[in-house]
Amino acid sequence: MPLIRETDYGTPLRPGEATVRLTIDGQPVAVPPGTSVMAAAMMLGTQIPKLCATDMLEPFGSCRLCLVEIEGRRGTPASCTTPVEPGMVVHTRNERLARLRRGVMELYISDHPLDCLTCSANGDCELQDMAGAVGLREVRYGEDGANHVKPDSPLALPLDQSNPYFTYDASKCIVCNRCVRACEDVQGTFALTIEGRGFDSRVSPGGTDFFGSECVSCGACVQACPTATLTENTVIAMGQPEHSVVTTCAYCGVGCSFKAEMQGSTVVRMVPYKGGQANEGHSCVKGRFAWGYATHRDRIRKPMIRARITDPWREVSWQEAIDHTAREFRRIQEQHGRDAVGGITSSRCTNEETYLVQKLVRAGFGNNNVDTCARVCHSPTGYGLKATLGTSAGTQDFSSVEQADVVLVIGANPTDGHPVFASRLKQRLRQGAQLIVADPRRIDLVRSPHIQAAHHLPLRPGSNVALINAMAHVVVTEGLVDEAYVRERCDLDDFESWARFIAQERNAPEAVEALTGVPAAEVRAAARLYATGGRAAIYYGLGVTEHSQGSTMVMGMANLAMATGNIGREGTGVNPLRGQNNVQGSCDMGSFPHELPGYRHVSDDATRHSFEALWGVELSGAPGLRIPNMLDEAVEGRFRALYIQGEDIAQSDPDTQHVTAGLAAMECVVVQDIFLNETAKYAHVLLPGSSFLEKDGTFTNAERRISRVRKVMPPLGGLADWEVTIALSRALGYEMNYTHPSEIMDEIAALTPSFAGVSYAKLDALGSLQWPCNDDAPTGTPMMHVDRFVRGKGKFMITEFIPTEERTGPRFPLILTTGRILSQYNVGAQTRRTENSRWHEEDVLEIHPFDAEARGIAEGDLVSVESRSGDIALRAMISDRMQPGVVYTTFHHAKTGANVITTDHSDWATNCPEYKVTAVQVRRTNRPSDWQARFFLEDTALTRIERPADAAE
């Protein structure tokens, strides 16, 4: 496949009906109002020369290369800034225009290094292309002017190579402003500016180098640059790519589409795909640049086995590893019963791979002991939204935020966790939408360039339900309920019961102020804004779900949205921001012990029989074990073997010491992963996994969008993940006959109503699909609950606030809450093996100055963080982003052991762990914790690999 060249219309295409008719170079064309002459010409296939224009940015009109003639008008206007008009007659080519364009281009070239043959952008340079397009053959002004700086001149500007992913060469800057505008308009960071005047004008990252600037390395500036001024270091080192494949990013739940641009089977760069319906050509530092982990030297490339976890690993063939695993699982089930084994799926794997693992457990193991990492982050979303609205997923697509008038962000930090969505949100906020942020920390969205939240509600961790009830109390008691909506769309008996409950004085903002820590007046003002400010949308994250009342809080947000009529329209809805690339998909595929694919309970006979008919085996109707139950049973000696695909529970799950005790008690732990992770320290079989670049399949993002993942290089371990599961199933005696993941999707579609219309052919034709996709919605469903709720009538649920059992006191007076940072991802297995670690080399503890001073803690001090579960040591970062009494850390580095100190408290409905509320004490220390000291010893003792003396590294 050659390089995919996407059409650049020069200016953004305008939506609407093509009602404006005009003539360009004698050809008639009809376009929507607001379309530029440049874009209209491109629709006819006529490319007008340009340098400062690109369709990812609004027109600027500085380069003067896109001049045209319009009959009846004087002069030669710029086609990028000239909107079409009815009856307009445009000429884009004649001798006069050619002469003018050559003159403009001659001026550009006179001030540009003429090293095209050795330039990294040779073959991919718009300046070079446009010089050819206008027929420039000579430059009359010569190269001797003081302003013409040759690369080897003593006056040459130094390269800025501070950023690990791209280089800035100021000598090649044509001051087109595209990078500056991309940083402002697309990303919203405002990190770049133009410094100097005249010939001294250059792009500048704020008077410092790129690494030390406000730049977030999203790559928008690199993508916008028409020359070699900003160039990926991989292109500089390797040269231009030769072909490309469109695939989907394997980081967060936004699900960005990228062009993997290749030389053979080697990735040269990842370029955001403009046709990607989730990201529309934008990206973040992780998806754009942090893909090098896929070929990192730490990759596991051969299967390995060992008898005991204290033994060194021994490399074996795939056949030996699979046969050994099957023998062990059969032996354990024969000795200890059918329920003594289970499996764990991963939200980083494809839908097809996840589907096969739960099928292996149910049809091959003969039980329902399957669980997923999605349960430890967003299972309350599924429970809460299904109870109130009727479906276990968010209501809108991402573009809906562009129609929102009020946005409530609660328990989420989009600029760090979901940066591409955050950029879209910031665009809407700069257009005038109002923002409410409910978060214990002062996250970037509270105040950043050209953005300030109307209200920041710095609630105490654990008080979410009290806060949402207080907002609803204002809506009900001040007559702000959308009565017509509720009467038409919701169950009135349920609403009246809820309204009586929520109107009680104990739910008033004044009554809960002591619990939440948020002034009652602020709560009232925020509630009024949400209810009366126009179209209002809620976006939330793990700060909502990872609580003992996570499910209650999700229902509380749905109650508030229904009461104000803010579901079923553009710009509204209740929208979870999923943390990992396929959290939604792993839930959809039946990864929970009580649900088959499509969120149908295993006890439902009709559902179970439909699977039995296709799978050819009798299935158990009894719910299986969740991960915490598996570990409990393992410690008690009743659960003996576990197959884990792509998940690292020893680092990601709460109460690490309990997790590792459970793993250590098992007889056969099988880990299938791309790296030797923390869980693999307790494994007996290690099977090489495949990265997203090595597999075919689909991911489902936070907006229910199913997108294709396409293989761009062969699996380094020899087999894709889905092939490994099939081999293991066959060795266990249960045949799975698939030759390609498309066949697995066909089976998913046959058994799952919401996926009934999904196929690879349709995905390839349409780019992506949002479920439900079936006969009623053959091209998918961007927005849910438009005319009626999926469950029929919306159901208001009573949301009683019940404080968490995790309490502060004299021994543990502070509350620890956890989260993520932009440059790292989840447990860091991928991002820590990239240059992203230059921005975040270790997890630190953010602590308010008051709490630090009371403990004699200075910036950078090593501090002990102790909870009822254990203790760890971190460097302190003193920050007024925190509120007094609350401390914060990330969990990206295994050596930190953040989950050593989190507790086993969990959501009442789903067992989702309460990561966000841990009572701790913080003290200065001069040594790592006992756990961390043991970690470094075990890291060596439990990960040794024995290889033959002649084996290559």
Side-chain angles (χ1 to χ4, degrees):
M1 179 184 294
L3 277 173
I4 298 170
R5 301 288 189 184
E6 296 178 85
T7 300
D8 187 343
Y9 291 90
T11 62
L13 297 179
R14 304 305 181 190
E17 189 178 349
T19 58
V20 180
R21 300 183 182 278
L22 67 156
T23 302
I24 300 177
D25 294 338
Q27 297 184 68
V29 63
V31 298
T35 302
S36 70
V37 169
M38 177 180 283
M42 197 64 208
M43 291 178 188
L44 288 170
T46 299
Q47 183 174 8
I48 300 173
K50 57 182 171 56
L51 283 174
C52 73
T54 180
D55 60 13
M56 67 185 290
L57 303 170
E58 290 297 326
F60 193 57
S62 70
C63 75
R64 312 309 297 170
L65 198 63
C66 68
L67 307 175
V68 294
E69 290 183 350
I70 300 174
E71 291 185 9
R73 292 195 187 184
R74 298 177 61 185
T76 52
S79 61
C80 65
T81 56
T82 303
V84 296
E85 293 180 2
M88 182 180 277
V89 178
V90 180
H91 300 283
T92 70
R93 285 181 171 82
N94 58 39
E95 182 52 41
R96 179 192 179 202
L97 292 172
R99 185 172 65 254
L100 290 171
R101 289 171 182 161
R102 281 194 297 272
V104 170
M105 181 56 68
E106 194 174 3
L107 291 171
Y108 275 108
I109 297 300
S110 72
D111 189 38
H112 196 80
L114 299 181
D115 58 346
C116 292
L117 290 179
T118 57
C119 178
S120 59
N122 188 20
D124 187 30
C125 174
E126 293 181 45
L127 185 68
Q128 188 181 61
D129 293 343
M130 291 302 103
V134 303
L136 183 66
R137 297 294 177 262
E138 63 176 348
V139 179
R140 292 169 291 171
Y141 310 112
E143 301 180 18
D144 297 327
N147 60 290
H148 191 108
V149 180
K150 300 178 183 179
D152 56 354
S153 165
L155 300 175
L157 298 167
L159 299 178
D160 181 350
Q161 298 175 308
S162 61
N163 189 287
Y165 294 121
F166 60 82
T167 294
Y168 171 50
D169 183 352
S171 68
K172 296 184 177 178
C173 180
I174 61 172
V175 200
C176 64
N177 261 280
R178 277 165 55 165
C179 60
V180 177
R181 291 150 56 212
C183 189
E184 294 176 358
D185 299 345
V186 179
Q187 170 58 28
T189 297
F190 295 84
L192 302 180
T193 187
I194 301 294
E195 287 190 348
R197 297 175 64 84
F199 285 119
D200 293 328
S201 298
R202 293 289 184 272
V203 170
S204 170
T208 182
D209 61 22
F210 267 87
F211 188 78
S213 73
E214 296 297 314
C215 171
V216 294
S217 298
C218 69
C221 59
V222 180
Q223 187 176 357
C225 182
T227 68
T229 307
L230 290 160
T231 308
E232 297 95 335
N233 291 338
T234 50
V235 172
I236 294 172
M238 301 168 62
Q240 293 297 322
E242 61 188 22
H243 70 276
S244 52
V245 179
V246 175
T247 190
T248 303
C249 179
Y251 279 115
C252 78
V254 174
C256 296
S257 295
F258 280 87
K259 295 181 293 183
E261 297 197 338
M262 316 285 296
Q263 290 177 358
S265 60
T266 301
V267 179
V268 176
R269 63 184 173 191
M270 299 291 286
V271 179
Y273 183 46
K274 289 196 301 183
Q277 291 147 316
N279 60 317
E280 297 181 352
H282 192 35
S283 60
C284 78
V285 62
K286 294 188 283 289
R288 182 71 156 89
F289 296 118
W291 41 266
Y293 71 88
T295 53
H296 194 273
R297 63 181 179 276
D298 289 349
R299 280 290 302 270
I300 299 300
R301 299 172 185 241
K302 294 182 179 180
M304 297 189 285
I305 62 175
R306 58 185 176 183
R308 294 176 299 274
I309 62 173
T310 53
D311 293 341
W313 286 107
R314 179 171 62 89
E315 291 182 347
V316 298
S317 67
W318 272 108
Q319 191 64 54
E320 182 177 350
I322 294 296
D323 289 346
H324 172 82
T325 301
R327 280 196 306 272
E328 284 294 284
F329 272 68
R330 283 197 299 266
R331 175 187 65 80
I332 288 169
Q333 285 191 300
E334 288 169 1
Q335 293 178 358
H336 302 284
R338 183 179 65 179
D339 294 330
V341 303
I344 297 176
T345 74
S346 173
S347 295
R348 286 183 287 280
C349 293
T350 65
N351 286 318
E352 294 77 5
E353 291 159 353
T354 302
Y355 175 85
L356 287 191
V357 172
Q358 63 86 31
K359 181 177 181 179
L360 169 67
V361 171
R362 293 187 160 107
F365 295 174
N367 61 47
N368 288 309
N369 292 338
V370 61
D371 203 0
T372 177
C373 59
R375 185 189 51 75
V376 304
C377 59
H378 265 289
S379 50
T381 286
Y383 188 94
L385 293 184
K386 188 172 184 178
T388 51
L389 311 181
T391 189
S392 302
T395 61
Q396 316 291 117
D397 60 5
F398 289 140
S399 64
S400 174
V401 76
E402 296 168 6
Q403 308 302 319
D405 300 307
V406 179
V407 177
L408 169 59
V409 174
I410 181 165
N413 186 4
T415 55
D416 280 12
H418 304 85
V420 171
F421 169 75
S423 294
R424 179 173 270 174
L425 169 60
K426 288 190 289 185
Q427 289 174 7
R428 180 58 185 152
L429 296 176
R430 291 196 300 273
Q431 293 167 358
Q434 300 279 352
L435 176 65
I436 304 164
V437 174
D439 198 283
R441 299 168 73 224
R442 194 181 69 245
I443 62 173
D444 288 344
L445 283 177
V446 173
R447 188 182 303 112
S448 57
H450 301 275
I451 290 172
Q452 181 160 342
H455 302 283
H456 176 213
L457 312 178
L459 71 169
R460 291 200 181 102
S463 64
N464 286 351
V465 172
L467 177 69
I468 206 73
N469 283 351
M471 292 181 69
H473 176 91
V474 175
V475 170
V476 169
T477 59
E478 295 188 5
L480 304 179
V481 171
D482 187 335
E483 295 182 1
Y485 181 94
V486 170
R487 192 176 300 109
E488 178 187 354
R489 300 284 304 272
C490 303
D491 186 297
L492 287 180
D493 290 339
D494 289 334
F495 168 74
E496 289 170 0
S497 297
W498 171 79
R500 285 193 297 272
F501 157 76
I502 213 71
Q504 293 174 15
E505 194 59 30
R506 62 194 174 108
N507 290 317
E510 292 75 12
V512 302
E513 182 174 327
L515 294 170
T516 66
V518 182
E522 274 293 290
V523 176
R524 287 190 176 275
R528 291 165 187 153
L529 176 60
Y530 177 84
T532 65
R535 297 171 183 253
I538 298 173
Y539 292 90
Y540 68 94
L542 305 184
V544 159
T545 56
E546 291 179 344
H547 286 273
S548 60
Q549 279 199 291
S551 295
T552 308
M553 180 60 182
V554 173
M555 292 187 286
M557 294 185 299
N559 289 342
L560 181 64
M562 287 189 292
T564 54
N566 278 307
I567 295 179
R569 299 180 294 148
E570 288 286 352
T572 67
V574 181
N575 306 286
L577 295 174
R578 306 287 193 172
Q580 298 180 54
N581 54 296
N582 203 33
V583 167
Q584 184 67 61
S586 63
C587 299
D588 299 340
M589 292 300 103
S591 295
F592 296 129
H594 63 291
E595 287 179 335
L596 288 158
Y599 305 96
R600 291 163 294 168
H601 204 278
V602 294
S603 64
D604 182 78
D605 292 341
T607 297
R608 200 171 62 255
H609 293 338
S610 67
F611 281 85
E612 290 173 339
L614 196 56
W615 290 358
V617 65
E618 185 176 346
L619 301 178
S620 170
L625 301 175
R626 294 168 173 165
I627 294 171
N629 308 128
M630 296 180 194
L631 297 170
D632 290 342
E633 293 288 288
V635 171
E636 295 296 324
R638 293 186 291 269
F639 189 85
R640 301 298 183 106
L642 187 58
Y643 170 44
I644 308 172
Q645 185 186 77
E647 188 55 27
D648 189 3
I649 62 173
Q651 186 179 345
S652 64
D653 281 34
D655 196 356
T656 299
Q657 299 188 71
H658 177 61
V659 173
T660 55
L663 290 170
M666 297 185 202
E667 296 178 27
C668 186
V669 174
V670 181
V671 169
Q672 182 178 341
D673 213 302
I674 62 177
F675 299 116
L676 208 164
N677 60 27
E678 296 309 301
T679 304
K681 292 179 179 179
Y682 302 90
H684 306 84
V685 180
L686 186 56
L687 304 176
S690 52
S691 74
F692 79 110
L693 295 172
E694 302 157 54
K695 60 179 68 174
D696 285 297
T698 57
F699 294 148
T700 306
N701 76 349
E703 50 174 359
R704 296 170 283 103
R705 187 180 301 281
I706 307 160
S707 300
R708 286 277 280 115
V709 182
R710 295 179 177 88
K711 183 166 68 175
V712 304
M713 58 191 240
L716 296 187
L719 294 176
D721 291 339
W722 65 276
E723 294 174 306
V724 176
T725 305
I726 288 173
L728 179 56
S729 184
R730 287 174 175 167
L732 285 166
Y734 180 72
E735 281 291 325
M736 291 188 187
N737 297 305
Y738 310 99
T739 60
H740 189 268
S742 60
E743 297 171 1
I744 306 172
M745 178 54 72
D746 291 341
E747 181 172 307
I748 294 168
L751 289 169
T752 312
S754 57
F755 277 66
V758 179
S759 68
Y760 278 30
K762 188 179 287 188
L763 288 169
D764 290 341
L766 299 179
S768 66
L769 292 164
Q770 289 175 265
W771 68 258
C773 177
N774 46 35
D775 290 342
D776 293 332
T779 58
T781 309
M783 182 166 54
M784 300 284 284
H785 318 295
V786 175
D787 299 316
R788 61 188 298 274
F789 290 105
V790 169
R791 70 179 310 279
K793 295 288 188 179
K795 184 175 180 62
F796 284 83
M797 303 291 291
I798 302 298
T799 52
E800 190 78 53
F801 171 62
I802 300 174
T804 173
E805 295 179 13
E806 181 70 1
R807 307 289 175 85
T808 57
R811 185 180 173 194
F812 302 109
L814 304 175
I815 297 175
L816 170 73
T817 190
T818 62
R820 302 180 180 185
I821 200 166
L822 171 63
S823 59
Q824 295 289 348
Y825 172 70
N826 206 40
V827 297
Q830 294 149 271
T831 44
R832 281 188 282 109
R833 291 175 171 88
T834 71
E835 292 292 330
N836 277 30
S837 288
R838 284 187 52 187
W839 285 283
H840 186 75
E841 296 178 352
E842 62 179 348
D843 297 316
V844 298
L845 186 79
E846 288 189 38
I847 184 169
H848 189 272
F850 175 84
D851 294 321
E853 183 178 3
R855 290 162 175 78
I857 295 170
E859 181 78 14
D861 280 353
L862 189 66
V863 296
S864 169
V865 186
E866 183 184 5
S867 75
R868 295 178 176 93
S869 298
D871 69 292
I872 59 173
L874 296 168
R875 295 286 170 190
M877 184 173 81
I878 300 174
S879 170
D880 62 4
R881 289 161 61 100
M882 304 307 302
Q883 56 180 283
V886 180
V887 293
Y888 171 88
T889 190
T890 51
F891 54 92
H892 302 304
H893 293 267
K895 64 185 179 182
T896 299
N899 283 320
V900 169
I901 56 176
T902 52
T903 70
D904 61 359
H905 297 307
S906 62
D907 175 54
W908 63 270
T910 66
N911 265 155
C912 181
E914 190 170 48
Y915 291 107
K916 304 305 181 186
V917 184
T918 303
V920 298
Q921 178 59 286
V922 177
R923 300 183 179 90
R924 291 180 63 193
T925 187
N926 58 7
R927 64 180 184 85
S929 69
D930 292 341
W931 180 89
Q932 288 166 324
R934 191 168 68 250
F935 167 87
F936 289 108
L937 293 174
E938 291 179 348
D939 198 45
T940 301
L942 302 183
T943 60
R944 292 175 297 149
I945 301 174
E946 281 189 354
R947 293 189 176 96
D950 59 348
E953 283 291 329

